Amino acid sequence: MRGRPGAGDVIPDSRPHVPPDPPGVGLIGAGAIARSAHLPAYARWRIPVVAIASRTPSSGRTLAGQFGIATVHDRVEDLLADPAVAVVDIATGPHGRVDLIAAAVAAGKHVLAQKPLVLEPHEADRLAEVLALAAARGIRVAGNMNARWAPPWRVATLLARAGEIGEVVGVTHLHDKPLPPLAGTPFDDVPHMLVNDYLAHWIDISRCWLEGSRVVSVAAHDSRVPGQPADAENPWQASIHIAVSSGATAAIRVVGDVRTGAGGCPFWIHGTAGTIRGSVLRGSDWVEIERDGERVSIEAEGEWFPDGFAGAMGELLTAVAEDREPENSAAHVLVSARLGMAAAASAANGGTPERPAGLELTRSAVRGGRGR
């Protein structure tokens, strides 16, 4: 990100960071997200993918041919035993994800796992046990919360954590764009899908901006909207409200399948000393900070898709190289997952607030700073 002339020191370096000579990555999954985001991001940022395994071997071979991946394994077990693979990228659906993470940790591989890490409280408890084992063995496990590296959101994170707008008072998100195709897809089979899955990135980035507090309450409501087709199982409207112990709040709003050829996903972070505002997706990327009577625009480099995926993997690879926990450690991301499960429980109960006990929004170390 580069500020316009006169922006002073408000120039956060928000780009993905990949260490020199990164180790080999093995990809599990050959679906649309691997094809459209994971592999293009890794190619752009020179992250070596050395092997792939898919439950449909022919899809794995096709993807390997398209992206120059040397080895295709017919079984996940063979990929986990491959000595050329040091890091496993799990790009599958949520069901069975904890089993795959556990298997990779048992094989001594570092792991990046797609979101949502878990969908049920018992899965969260089991994942916590797997993460304890990984930590004891010096294995790094990260969650693929790639939106943390969506350029405007990344700038906002770095500015907020640097105290540029004082203490955060409130976070607001509006989904001002069409929904992706949902009816007839596996996503439509997930109960309260918008709250339980689609909005996981919005929940996660909001908790990043509210860090240092404890969750007091989570309320969510979803409903069908006018014009929604009968074969769409899930509601197309969702609203989430999060309150934390500092008194700050976060609000996330999806009004439905918005009819616009423009739009985006505008956001605001209001603080005691200023405001950060911007938008992500659909070519709408922009971000600015307003403080002391001055508004400063910060020019965005890159896009959420695919650069955010390079950011998530690059942070894990850098953490492995530096022998530290990644910013997107699975333990840190698991708190976001528990927050999402509380929101889903509230939606299932018609919007009755949930009051999760002991849900602390701890801070994570953030690579990068105010200037470069």
Side-chain angles (χ1 to χ4, degrees):
M1 301 280 177
R2 297 181 184 277
R4 68 187 180 194
D9 61 354
V10 187
I11 311 176
D13 187 355
S14 61
R15 298 169 298 180
H17 181 271
V18 179
D21 301 318
V25 173
L27 176 66
I28 299 176
I33 195 66
R35 181 181 301 104
S36 65
H38 290 248
L39 292 176
Y42 301 163
R44 178 180 296 182
W45 290 88
R46 298 183 181 179
I47 296 170
V49 179
V50 297
I52 185 171
S54 172
R55 64 182 178 182
T56 307
S58 60
S59 297
R61 286 190 287 271
T62 299
L63 210 55
Q66 292 173 346
F67 288 91
I69 301 171
T71 303
V72 179
H73 292 292
D74 290 340
R75 303 187 314 150
V76 168
E77 293 84 354
D78 296 333
L79 182 142
L80 296 179
D82 189 337
V85 173
V87 178
V88 173
D89 183 13
I90 300 174
T92 63
H95 298 293
R97 184 166 292 150
V98 177
D99 291 335
L100 287 173
I101 295 172
V105 168
K109 311 294 186 182
H110 304 289
V111 184
L112 179 70
Q114 259 291 10
K115 67 86 183 169
L117 287 178
V118 294
L119 292 175
E120 301 290 343
H122 73 273
E123 293 180 324
D125 294 340
R126 181 171 173 237
L127 179 57
E129 295 174 358
V130 173
L131 297 181
L133 176 61
R137 299 183 60 186
I139 295 170
R140 309 302 179 186
V141 182
N144 193 356
M145 301 311 297
N146 42 78
R148 294 188 185 189
W149 284 268
W153 281 3
R154 186 63 174 174
V155 165
T157 298
L158 295 172
L159 291 174
R161 286 181 174 168
E164 296 289 354
I165 59 169
E167 188 175 359
V168 173
V169 172
V171 173
T172 308
H173 296 277
L174 177 64
H175 192 272
D176 180 30
K177 63 181 281 294
L179 289 167
L182 296 174
T185 71
F187 291 105
D188 212 14
D189 295 331
V190 178
H192 303 282
M193 186 276 303
L194 288 179
V195 176
N196 224 344
D197 187 300
Y198 185 79
L199 289 175
H201 286 302
W202 280 261
I203 293 171
D204 178 72
I205 200 66
S206 297
R207 68 71 55 99
C208 288
W209 298 340
L210 294 172
E211 286 184 337
S213 295
R214 173 180 47 82
V215 175
V216 173
S217 69
V218 185
H221 177 268
D222 57 2
S223 62
R224 300 182 71 84
V225 299
Q228 182 174 330
D231 62 343
E233 297 291 336
N234 264 282
W236 281 4
Q237 178 280 134
S239 301
I240 301 173
H241 186 274
I242 302 165
V244 300
S245 57
S246 69
T249 58
I252 305 167
R253 175 93 162 106
V254 179
V255 299
D257 192 29
V258 176
R259 299 294 87 200
T260 177
C265 293
F267 66 90
W268 297 259
I269 312 174
H270 291 96
T272 56
T275 298
I276 300 166
R277 61 175 66 87
S279 182
V280 297
L281 292 175
R282 262 186 107 73
S284 71
D285 285 16
W286 66 278
V287 63
E288 72 172 23
I289 181 171
E290 180 178 352
R291 62 182 187 185
D292 301 327
E294 181 185 9
R295 295 171 63 177
V296 177
S297 297
I298 301 175
E299 198 175 307
E301 289 181 20
E303 296 180 288
W304 179 350
F305 290 81
D307 299 297
F309 289 76
M313 176 60 82
E315 169 61 10
L316 172 60
L317 297 176
T318 302
V320 170
E322 297 178 352
D323 192 25
R324 61 170 175 81
E325 282 296 298
E327 174 190 340
N328 53 334
S329 71
H332 193 263
V333 172
L334 186 55
V335 174
S336 298
R338 291 187 187 275
L339 186 56
M341 286 186 285
S346 174
N349 289 322
T352 301
E354 292 285 313
R355 303 185 186 279
L359 201 55
E360 300 286 342
L361 304 184
T362 56
R363 300 184 186 276
S364 68
V366 179
R367 185 179 183 88
R370 293 173 61 191
R372 68 169 187 249

